[in-house]
PDB file of all heavy atoms in Angstrom:
ATOM      1  N   ALA U   1     -35.779 -48.909 -34.612  1.00 93.00           N
ATOM      2  CA  ALA U   1     -36.549 -50.189 -35.072  1.00 93.00           C
ATOM      3  C   ALA U   1     -36.653 -50.245 -36.605  1.00 93.00           C
ATOM      4  O   ALA U   1     -36.842 -49.345 -37.222  1.00 93.00           O
ATOM      5  CB  ALA U   1     -37.899 -50.032 -34.550  1.00 93.00           C
ATOM      6  N   PRO U   2     -36.302 -51.483 -37.146  1.00 95.00           N
ATOM      7  CA  PRO U   2     -36.416 -51.660 -38.616  1.00 95.00           C
ATOM      8  C   PRO U   2     -37.756 -51.279 -39.087  1.00 95.00           C
ATOM      9  O   PRO U   2     -37.876 -50.804 -40.277  1.00 95.00           O
ATOM     10  CB  PRO U   2     -36.136 -53.164 -38.833  1.00 95.00           C
ATOM     11  CG  PRO U   2     -35.246 -53.520 -37.593  1.00 95.00           C
ATOM     12  CD  PRO U   2     -35.712 -52.650 -36.509  1.00 95.00           C
ATOM     13  N   ASN U   3     -38.886 -51.496 -38.276  1.00 96.00           N
ATOM     14  CA  ASN U   3     -40.170 -51.168 -38.873  1.00 96.00           C
ATOM     15  C   ASN U   3     -40.699 -49.778 -38.381  1.00 96.00           C
ATOM     16  O   ASN U   3     -41.863 -49.522 -38.298  1.00 96.00           O
ATOM     17  CB  ASN U   3     -41.208 -52.198 -38.441  1.00 96.00           C
ATOM     18  CG  ASN U   3     -41.343 -52.570 -37.025  1.00 96.00           C
ATOM     19  OD1 ASN U   3     -40.323 -52.188 -36.272  1.00 96.00           O
ATOM     20  ND2 ASN U   3     -42.440 -53.063 -36.552  1.00 96.00           N
ATOM     21  N   GLY U   4     -39.715 -48.955 -37.835  1.00 95.00           N
ATOM     22  CA  GLY U   4     -40.088 -47.720 -37.220  1.00 95.00           C
ATOM     23  C   GLY U   4     -40.754 -46.779 -38.142  1.00 95.00           C
ATOM     24  O   GLY U   4     -41.705 -46.046 -37.810  1.00 95.00           O
ATOM     25  N   GLY U   5     -40.278 -46.741 -39.390  1.00 94.00           N
ATOM     26  CA  GLY U   5     -40.881 -45.934 -40.422  1.00 94.00           C
ATOM     27  C   GLY U   5     -42.280 -46.167 -40.765  1.00 94.00           C
ATOM     28  O   GLY U   5     -43.192 -45.347 -40.789  1.00 94.00           O
ATOM     29  N   ARG U   6     -42.634 -47.460 -40.770  1.00 96.00           N
ATOM     30  CA  ARG U   6     -44.050 -47.891 -41.053  1.00 96.00           C
ATOM     31  C   ARG U   6     -44.898 -47.503 -39.811  1.00 96.00           C
ATOM     32  O   ARG U   6     -46.086 -46.967 -40.051  1.00 96.00           O
ATOM     33  CB  ARG U   6     -44.127 -49.313 -41.275  1.00 96.00           C
ATOM     34  CG  ARG U   6     -45.525 -49.858 -41.821  1.00 96.00           C
ATOM     35  CD  ARG U   6     -45.487 -51.164 -42.337  1.00 96.00           C
ATOM     36  NE  ARG U   6     -45.436 -52.176 -41.204  1.00 96.00           N
ATOM     37  CZ  ARG U   6     -44.316 -52.927 -40.840  1.00 96.00           C
ATOM     38  NH1 ARG U   6     -43.196 -52.838 -41.747  1.00 96.00           N
ATOM     39  NH2 ARG U   6     -44.295 -53.753 -39.867  1.00 96.00           N
ATOM     40  N   ILE U   7     -44.374 -47.637 -38.502  1.00 97.00           N
ATOM     41  CA  ILE U   7     -45.240 -47.422 -37.422  1.00 97.00           C
ATOM     42  C   ILE U   7     -45.364 -45.806 -37.447  1.00 97.00           C
ATOM     43  O   ILE U   7     -46.472 -45.254 -37.021  1.00 97.00           O
ATOM     44  CB  ILE U   7     -44.498 -47.823 -36.150  1.00 97.00           C
ATOM     45  CG1 ILE U   7     -44.379 -49.332 -36.180  1.00 97.00           C
ATOM     46  CG2 ILE U   7     -45.205 -47.425 -34.803  1.00 97.00           C
ATOM     47  CD1 ILE U   7     -43.525 -49.896 -35.061  1.00 97.00           C
ATOM     48  N   LEU U   8     -44.324 -45.109 -37.687  1.00 96.00           N
ATOM     49  CA  LEU U   8     -44.548 -43.566 -37.734  1.00 96.00           C
ATOM     50  C   LEU U   8     -45.554 -43.180 -38.754  1.00 96.00           C
ATOM     51  O   LEU U   8     -46.258 -42.199 -38.454  1.00 96.00           O
ATOM     52  CB  LEU U   8     -43.126 -42.916 -38.071  1.00 96.00           C
ATOM     53  CG  LEU U   8     -42.113 -42.841 -37.072  1.00 96.00           C
ATOM     54  CD1 LEU U   8     -40.819 -42.436 -37.509  1.00 96.00           C
ATOM     55  CD2 LEU U   8     -42.644 -41.805 -35.958  1.00 96.00           C
ATOM     56  N   GLY U   9     -45.619 -43.789 -39.826  1.00 96.00           N
ATOM     57  CA  GLY U   9     -46.682 -43.481 -40.823  1.00 96.00           C
ATOM     58  C   GLY U   9     -48.117 -43.694 -40.277  1.00 96.00           C
ATOM     59  O   GLY U   9     -48.919 -42.857 -40.352  1.00 96.00           O
ATOM     60  N   GLN U  10     -48.279 -44.719 -39.454  1.00 97.00           N
ATOM     61  CA  GLN U  10     -49.526 -45.058 -38.763  1.00 97.00           C
ATOM     62  C   GLN U  10     -49.829 -43.886 -37.680  1.00 97.00           C
ATOM     63  O   GLN U  10     -50.986 -43.591 -37.574  1.00 97.00           O
ATOM     64  CB  GLN U  10     -49.549 -46.391 -38.047  1.00 97.00           C
ATOM     65  CG  GLN U  10     -49.432 -47.622 -39.062  1.00 97.00           C
ATOM     66  CD  GLN U  10     -49.420 -48.923 -38.276  1.00 97.00           C
ATOM     67  OE1 GLN U  10     -48.370 -49.435 -38.038  1.00 97.00           O
ATOM     68  NE2 GLN U  10     -50.584 -49.397 -37.891  1.00 97.00           N
ATOM     69  N   ILE U  11     -48.790 -43.532 -37.000  1.00 97.00           N
ATOM     70  CA  ILE U  11     -48.963 -42.465 -35.927  1.00 97.00           C
ATOM     71  C   ILE U  11     -49.389 -41.179 -36.684  1.00 97.00           C
ATOM     72  O   ILE U  11     -50.259 -40.374 -36.201  1.00 97.00           O
ATOM     73  CB  ILE U  11     -47.817 -42.293 -35.067  1.00 97.00           C
ATOM     74  CG1 ILE U  11     -47.550 -43.557 -34.256  1.00 97.00           C
ATOM     75  CG2 ILE U  11     -47.916 -41.128 -34.252  1.00 97.00           C
ATOM     76  CD1 ILE U  11     -46.197 -43.553 -33.532  1.00 97.00           C
ATOM     77  N   GLU U  12     -48.684 -40.850 -37.695  1.00 97.00           N
ATOM     78  CA  GLU U  12     -48.968 -39.601 -38.492  1.00 97.00           C
ATOM     79  C   GLU U  12     -50.374 -39.573 -39.044  1.00 97.00           C
ATOM     80  O   GLU U  12     -50.899 -38.433 -38.943  1.00 97.00           O
ATOM     81  CB  GLU U  12     -47.927 -39.375 -39.465  1.00 97.00           C
ATOM     82  CG  GLU U  12     -46.466 -39.079 -38.880  1.00 97.00           C
ATOM     83  CD  GLU U  12     -45.445 -38.985 -40.008  1.00 97.00           C
ATOM     84  OE1 GLU U  12     -45.610 -39.475 -41.101  1.00 97.00           O
ATOM     85  OE2 GLU U  12     -44.323 -38.444 -39.610  1.00 97.00           O
ATOM     86  N   GLU U  13     -50.698 -40.565 -39.533  1.00 96.00           N
ATOM     87  CA  GLU U  13     -52.120 -40.689 -40.045  1.00 96.00           C
ATOM     88  C   GLU U  13     -53.136 -40.536 -38.888  1.00 96.00           C
ATOM     89  O   GLU U  13     -54.216 -39.787 -39.035  1.00 96.00           O
ATOM     90  CB  GLU U  13     -52.345 -42.105 -40.672  1.00 96.00           C
ATOM     91  CG  GLU U  13     -53.742 -42.217 -41.408  1.00 96.00           C
ATOM     92  CD  GLU U  13     -53.947 -43.585 -42.053  1.00 96.00           C
ATOM     93  OE1 GLU U  13     -52.814 -44.306 -42.237  1.00 96.00           O
ATOM     94  OE2 GLU U  13     -54.997 -43.834 -42.488  1.00 96.00           O
ATOM     95  N   ARG U  14     -52.874 -40.980 -37.716  1.00 95.00           N
ATOM     96  CA  ARG U  14     -53.741 -40.855 -36.594  1.00 95.00           C
ATOM     97  C   ARG U  14     -53.827 -39.383 -36.060  1.00 95.00           C
ATOM     98  O   ARG U  14     -54.871 -38.909 -35.752  1.00 95.00           O
ATOM     99  CB  ARG U  14     -53.323 -41.765 -35.419  1.00 95.00           C
ATOM    100  CG  ARG U  14     -53.950 -43.100 -35.400  1.00 95.00           C
ATOM    101  CD  ARG U  14     -53.283 -43.857 -34.190  1.00 95.00           C
ATOM    102  NE  ARG U  14     -54.366 -44.825 -33.655  1.00 95.00           N
ATOM    103  CZ  ARG U  14     -54.719 -45.850 -34.067  1.00 95.00           C
ATOM    104  NH1 ARG U  14     -54.210 -46.287 -35.261  1.00 95.00           N
ATOM    105  NH2 ARG U  14     -55.571 -46.695 -33.517  1.00 95.00           N
ATOM    106  N   ILE U  15     -52.628 -38.780 -36.090  1.00 96.00           N
ATOM    107  CA  ILE U  15     -52.646 -37.387 -35.561  1.00 96.00           C
ATOM    108  C   ILE U  15     -52.924 -36.268 -36.521  1.00 96.00           C
ATOM    109  O   ILE U  15     -53.051 -35.057 -36.156  1.00 96.00           O
ATOM    110  CB  ILE U  15     -51.450 -37.137 -34.669  1.00 96.00           C
ATOM    111  CG1 ILE U  15     -50.129 -37.026 -35.469  1.00 96.00           C
ATOM    112  CG2 ILE U  15     -51.190 -38.250 -33.604  1.00 96.00           C
ATOM    113  CD1 ILE U  15     -48.852 -36.741 -34.743  1.00 96.00           C
ATOM    114  N   GLY U  16     -52.750 -36.587 -37.731  1.00 95.00           N
ATOM    115  CA  GLY U  16     -52.927 -35.655 -38.883  1.00 95.00           C
ATOM    116  C   GLY U  16     -51.904 -34.711 -39.081  1.00 95.00           C
ATOM    117  O   GLY U  16     -51.937 -33.560 -39.653  1.00 95.00           O
ATOM    118  N   GLN U  17     -50.528 -35.087 -38.707  1.00 95.00           N
ATOM    119  CA  GLN U  17     -49.446 -34.270 -38.922  1.00 95.00           C
ATOM    120  C   GLN U  17     -48.100 -35.184 -38.835  1.00 95.00           C
ATOM    121  O   GLN U  17     -48.187 -36.277 -38.372  1.00 95.00           O
ATOM    122  CB  GLN U  17     -49.284 -33.195 -38.040  1.00 95.00           C
ATOM    123  CG  GLN U  17     -49.052 -33.548 -36.591  1.00 95.00           C
ATOM    124  CD  GLN U  17     -48.787 -32.389 -35.685  1.00 95.00           C
ATOM    125  OE1 GLN U  17     -49.584 -31.519 -35.410  1.00 95.00           O
ATOM    126  NE2 GLN U  17     -47.558 -32.202 -35.121  1.00 95.00           N
ATOM    127  N   GLY U  18     -47.034 -34.587 -39.173  1.00 96.00           N
ATOM    128  CA  GLY U  18     -45.736 -35.353 -39.094  1.00 96.00           C
ATOM    129  C   GLY U  18     -45.170 -35.387 -37.685  1.00 96.00           C
ATOM    130  O   GLY U  18     -45.612 -34.632 -36.807  1.00 96.00           O
ATOM    131  N   VAL U  19     -44.353 -36.373 -37.557  1.00 96.00           N
ATOM    132  CA  VAL U  19     -43.696 -36.611 -36.277  1.00 96.00           C
ATOM    133  C   VAL U  19     -42.144 -36.374 -36.475  1.00 96.00           C
ATOM    134  O   VAL U  19     -41.599 -36.923 -37.460  1.00 96.00           O
ATOM    135  CB  VAL U  19     -43.921 -37.988 -35.726  1.00 96.00           C
ATOM    136  CG1 VAL U  19     -43.016 -38.312 -34.542  1.00 96.00           C
ATOM    137  CG2 VAL U  19     -45.379 -38.158 -35.466  1.00 96.00           C
ATOM    138  N   THR U  20     -41.597 -35.649 -35.606  1.00 96.00           N
ATOM    139  CA  THR U  20     -40.110 -35.347 -35.821  1.00 96.00           C
ATOM    140  C   THR U  20     -39.406 -36.492 -34.999  1.00 96.00           C
ATOM    141  O   THR U  20     -39.508 -36.627 -33.930  1.00 96.00           O
ATOM    142  CB  THR U  20     -39.788 -33.932 -35.163  1.00 96.00           C
ATOM    143  OG1 THR U  20     -40.351 -33.050 -35.934  1.00 96.00           O
ATOM    144  CG2 THR U  20     -38.178 -33.746 -35.147  1.00 96.00           C
ATOM    145  N   VAL U  21     -38.567 -37.182 -35.803  1.00 95.00           N
ATOM    146  CA  VAL U  21     -37.810 -38.230 -35.201  1.00 95.00           C
ATOM    147  C   VAL U  21     -36.443 -37.640 -34.772  1.00 95.00           C
ATOM    148  O   VAL U  21     -35.555 -37.247 -35.554  1.00 95.00           O
ATOM    149  CB  VAL U  21     -37.595 -39.439 -36.141  1.00 95.00           C
ATOM    150  CG1 VAL U  21     -36.706 -40.591 -35.381  1.00 95.00           C
ATOM    151  CG2 VAL U  21     -38.835 -40.049 -36.602  1.00 95.00           C
ATOM    152  N   LEU U  22     -36.303 -37.467 -33.428  1.00 95.00           N
ATOM    153  CA  LEU U  22     -35.001 -36.817 -32.928  1.00 95.00           C
ATOM    154  C   LEU U  22     -33.840 -37.880 -32.916  1.00 95.00           C
ATOM    155  O   LEU U  22     -33.908 -38.992 -32.638  1.00 95.00           O
ATOM    156  CB  LEU U  22     -35.254 -36.387 -31.616  1.00 95.00           C
ATOM    157  CG  LEU U  22     -36.350 -35.385 -31.301  1.00 95.00           C
ATOM    158  CD1 LEU U  22     -36.563 -35.210 -29.769  1.00 95.00           C
ATOM    159  CD2 LEU U  22     -36.073 -33.989 -32.040  1.00 95.00           C
ATOM    160  N   SER U  23     -32.625 -37.355 -33.450  1.00 95.00           N
ATOM    161  CA  SER U  23     -31.422 -38.166 -33.260  1.00 95.00           C
ATOM    162  C   SER U  23     -31.043 -38.030 -31.818  1.00 95.00           C
ATOM    163  O   SER U  23     -31.582 -37.298 -30.959  1.00 95.00           O
ATOM    164  CB  SER U  23     -30.377 -37.607 -34.131  1.00 95.00           C
ATOM    165  OG  SER U  23     -29.889 -36.344 -33.628  1.00 95.00           O
ATOM    166  N   GLY U  24     -30.115 -38.917 -31.456  1.00 95.00           N
ATOM    167  CA  GLY U  24     -29.654 -38.904 -30.007  1.00 95.00           C
ATOM    168  C   GLY U  24     -28.947 -37.533 -29.781  1.00 95.00           C
ATOM    169  O   GLY U  24     -29.161 -37.071 -28.595  1.00 95.00           O
ATOM    170  N   VAL U  25     -28.261 -36.964 -30.681  1.00 96.00           N
ATOM    171  CA  VAL U  25     -27.644 -35.641 -30.394  1.00 96.00           C
ATOM    172  C   VAL U  25     -28.745 -34.556 -30.326  1.00 96.00           C
ATOM    173  O   VAL U  25     -28.567 -33.658 -29.523  1.00 96.00           O
ATOM    174  CB  VAL U  25     -26.749 -35.345 -31.541  1.00 96.00           C
ATOM    175  CG1 VAL U  25     -26.187 -33.845 -31.439  1.00 96.00           C
ATOM    176  CG2 VAL U  25     -25.486 -36.278 -31.573  1.00 96.00           C
ATOM    177  N   ASP U  26     -29.870 -34.609 -31.046  1.00 96.00           N
ATOM    178  CA  ASP U  26     -30.897 -33.731 -30.982  1.00 96.00           C
ATOM    179  C   ASP U  26     -31.467 -33.845 -29.547  1.00 96.00           C
ATOM    180  O   ASP U  26     -31.720 -32.757 -28.838  1.00 96.00           O
ATOM    181  CB  ASP U  26     -32.078 -34.083 -31.927  1.00 96.00           C
ATOM    182  CG  ASP U  26     -31.849 -33.895 -33.312  1.00 96.00           C
ATOM    183  OD1 ASP U  26     -30.883 -33.020 -33.591  1.00 96.00           O
ATOM    184  OD2 ASP U  26     -32.272 -34.440 -34.188  1.00 96.00           O
ATOM    185  N   GLU U  27     -31.669 -35.117 -29.025  1.00 96.00           N
ATOM    186  CA  GLU U  27     -32.132 -35.183 -27.582  1.00 96.00           C
ATOM    187  C   GLU U  27     -31.216 -34.599 -26.652  1.00 96.00           C
ATOM    188  O   GLU U  27     -31.687 -33.859 -25.686  1.00 96.00           O
ATOM    189  CB  GLU U  27     -32.351 -36.684 -27.368  1.00 96.00           C
ATOM    190  CG  GLU U  27     -33.375 -37.412 -28.005  1.00 96.00           C
ATOM    191  CD  GLU U  27     -33.564 -38.794 -27.556  1.00 96.00           C
ATOM    192  OE1 GLU U  27     -33.773 -39.076 -26.287  1.00 96.00           O
ATOM    193  OE2 GLU U  27     -33.457 -39.723 -28.346  1.00 96.00           O
ATOM    194  N   ALA U  28     -29.889 -34.773 -26.771  1.00 97.00           N
ATOM    195  CA  ALA U  28     -29.047 -34.217 -25.823  1.00 97.00           C
ATOM    196  C   ALA U  28     -28.968 -32.719 -25.739  1.00 97.00           C
ATOM    197  O   ALA U  28     -28.991 -32.000 -24.917  1.00 97.00           O
ATOM    198  CB  ALA U  28     -27.640 -34.795 -26.147  1.00 97.00           C
ATOM    199  N   ARG U  29     -29.044 -32.116 -27.005  1.00 98.00           N
ATOM    200  CA  ARG U  29     -29.023 -30.696 -27.228  1.00 98.00           C
ATOM    201  C   ARG U  29     -30.354 -29.941 -26.565  1.00 98.00           C
ATOM    202  O   ARG U  29     -30.276 -28.930 -26.017  1.00 98.00           O
ATOM    203  CB  ARG U  29     -28.826 -30.288 -28.625  1.00 98.00           C
ATOM    204  CG  ARG U  29     -27.482 -30.586 -29.135  1.00 98.00           C
ATOM    205  CD  ARG U  29     -27.273 -30.051 -30.571  1.00 98.00           C
ATOM    206  NE  ARG U  29     -25.844 -30.381 -30.987  1.00 98.00           N
ATOM    207  CZ  ARG U  29     -24.720 -29.703 -30.723  1.00 98.00           C
ATOM    208  NH1 ARG U  29     -24.902 -28.666 -29.909  1.00 98.00           N
ATOM    209  NH2 ARG U  29     -23.592 -30.081 -31.260  1.00 98.00           N
ATOM    210  N   LEU U  30     -31.427 -30.553 -26.856  1.00 97.00           N
ATOM    211  CA  LEU U  30     -32.771 -30.024 -26.456  1.00 97.00           C
ATOM    212  C   LEU U  30     -32.773 -30.068 -24.917  1.00 97.00           C
ATOM    213  O   LEU U  30     -33.192 -29.249 -24.218  1.00 97.00           O
ATOM    214  CB  LEU U  30     -33.956 -30.715 -27.029  1.00 97.00           C
ATOM    215  CG  LEU U  30     -34.229 -30.343 -28.477  1.00 97.00           C
ATOM    216  CD1 LEU U  30     -35.364 -31.235 -29.125  1.00 97.00           C
ATOM    217  CD2 LEU U  30     -34.666 -28.896 -28.622  1.00 97.00           C
ATOM    218  N   THR U  31     -32.252 -31.323 -24.360  1.00 98.00           N
ATOM    219  CA  THR U  31     -32.376 -31.437 -22.843  1.00 98.00           C
ATOM    220  C   THR U  31     -31.391 -30.513 -22.139  1.00 98.00           C
ATOM    221  O   THR U  31     -31.623 -30.037 -21.226  1.00 98.00           O
ATOM    222  CB  THR U  31     -32.046 -32.952 -22.620  1.00 98.00           C
ATOM    223  OG1 THR U  31     -32.974 -33.757 -23.340  1.00 98.00           O
ATOM    224  CG2 THR U  31     -32.367 -33.149 -21.035  1.00 98.00           C
ATOM    225  N   PHE U  32     -30.288 -30.299 -22.864  1.00 98.00           N
ATOM    226  CA  PHE U  32     -29.229 -29.269 -22.376  1.00 98.00           C
ATOM    227  C   PHE U  32     -29.839 -27.970 -22.283  1.00 98.00           C
ATOM    228  O   PHE U  32     -29.622 -27.249 -21.272  1.00 98.00           O
ATOM    229  CB  PHE U  32     -27.987 -29.417 -23.167  1.00 98.00           C
ATOM    230  CG  PHE U  32     -26.946 -28.521 -22.655  1.00 98.00           C
ATOM    231  CD1 PHE U  32     -25.955 -29.099 -21.657  1.00 98.00           C
ATOM    232  CD2 PHE U  32     -26.795 -27.156 -23.049  1.00 98.00           C
ATOM    233  CE1 PHE U  32     -24.992 -28.315 -21.260  1.00 98.00           C
ATOM    234  CE2 PHE U  32     -25.742 -26.414 -22.548  1.00 98.00           C
ATOM    235  CZ  PHE U  32     -24.813 -26.923 -21.535  1.00 98.00           C
ATOM    236  N   LEU U  33     -30.570 -27.491 -23.320  1.00 97.00           N
ATOM    237  CA  LEU U  33     -31.238 -26.175 -23.402  1.00 97.00           C
ATOM    238  C   LEU U  33     -32.137 -26.063 -22.210  1.00 97.00           C
ATOM    239  O   LEU U  33     -32.117 -24.915 -21.500  1.00 97.00           O
ATOM    240  CB  LEU U  33     -31.942 -26.005 -24.642  1.00 97.00           C
ATOM    241  CG  LEU U  33     -32.796 -24.775 -24.761  1.00 97.00           C
ATOM    242  CD1 LEU U  33     -31.931 -23.494 -24.636  1.00 97.00           C
ATOM    243  CD2 LEU U  33     -33.631 -24.824 -26.021  1.00 97.00           C
ATOM    244  N   ALA U  34     -32.866 -27.124 -21.912  1.00 96.00           N
ATOM    245  CA  ALA U  34     -33.834 -27.016 -20.775  1.00 96.00           C
ATOM    246  C   ALA U  34     -33.097 -26.784 -19.423  1.00 96.00           C
ATOM    247  O   ALA U  34     -33.428 -25.940 -18.634  1.00 96.00           O
ATOM    248  CB  ALA U  34     -34.790 -28.308 -20.745  1.00 96.00           C
ATOM    249  N   ALA U  35     -32.054 -27.638 -19.238  1.00 97.00           N
ATOM    250  CA  ALA U  35     -31.286 -27.524 -18.047  1.00 97.00           C
ATOM    251  C   ALA U  35     -30.510 -26.148 -17.935  1.00 97.00           C
ATOM    252  O   ALA U  35     -30.544 -25.498 -16.790  1.00 97.00           O
ATOM    253  CB  ALA U  35     -30.203 -28.652 -17.928  1.00 97.00           C
ATOM    254  N   ARG U  36     -30.038 -25.667 -19.004  1.00 97.00           N
ATOM    255  CA  ARG U  36     -29.332 -24.375 -18.986  1.00 97.00           C
ATOM    256  C   ARG U  36     -30.390 -23.233 -18.633  1.00 97.00           C
ATOM    257  O   ARG U  36     -30.057 -22.388 -17.818  1.00 97.00           O
ATOM    258  CB  ARG U  36     -28.716 -23.984 -20.386  1.00 97.00           C
ATOM    259  CG  ARG U  36     -28.281 -22.580 -20.520  1.00 97.00           C
ATOM    260  CD  ARG U  36     -27.201 -22.201 -19.465  1.00 97.00           C
ATOM    261  NE  ARG U  36     -25.879 -22.875 -19.755  1.00 97.00           N
ATOM    262  CZ  ARG U  36     -24.942 -23.038 -18.932  1.00 97.00           C
ATOM    263  NH1 ARG U  36     -25.064 -22.459 -17.701  1.00 97.00           N
ATOM    264  NH2 ARG U  36     -23.773 -23.647 -19.226  1.00 97.00           N
ATOM    265  N   ARG U  37     -31.546 -23.226 -19.132  1.00 95.00           N
ATOM    266  CA  ARG U  37     -32.637 -22.223 -18.858  1.00 95.00           C
ATOM    267  C   ARG U  37     -32.971 -22.435 -17.307  1.00 95.00           C
ATOM    268  O   ARG U  37     -33.305 -21.351 -16.690  1.00 95.00           O
ATOM    269  CB  ARG U  37     -33.691 -22.420 -19.762  1.00 95.00           C
ATOM    270  CG  ARG U  37     -33.577 -22.126 -21.227  1.00 95.00           C
ATOM    271  CD  ARG U  37     -33.493 -20.610 -21.476  1.00 95.00           C
ATOM    272  NE  ARG U  37     -33.105 -20.212 -22.888  1.00 95.00           N
ATOM    273  CZ  ARG U  37     -34.094 -20.220 -23.797  1.00 95.00           C
ATOM    274  NH1 ARG U  37     -35.351 -20.234 -23.485  1.00 95.00           N
ATOM    275  NH2 ARG U  37     -33.750 -19.984 -25.055  1.00 95.00           N
TER     276      ARG U  37
END
C-alpha cells in the first residue's frame, strides 16, 4: 500500500515496538520452515 508506511507508524506507536514487514519471499521461507518441522 502507498500509505502502508504511515499506517505502520500508527501501529508501532500503539504497540510500543517495531513491526517487521515481511517480503513475499520471507513469508514463503518461514511457512516452509513450519511445514518442514
Side-chain angles (χ1 to χ4, degrees):
N3 61 336
R6 188 170 73 250
I7 298 170
L8 279 170
Q10 293 178 263
I11 293 172
E12 290 174 343
E13 185 176 346
R14 264 177 150 77
I15 68 176
Q17 68 171 67
V19 174
T20 299
V21 181
L22 299 174
S23 70
V25 172
D26 291 335
E27 291 185 56
R29 290 185 180 279
L30 285 173
T31 307
F32 184 88
L33 171 64
R36 170 60 73 195
R37 293 280 179 92

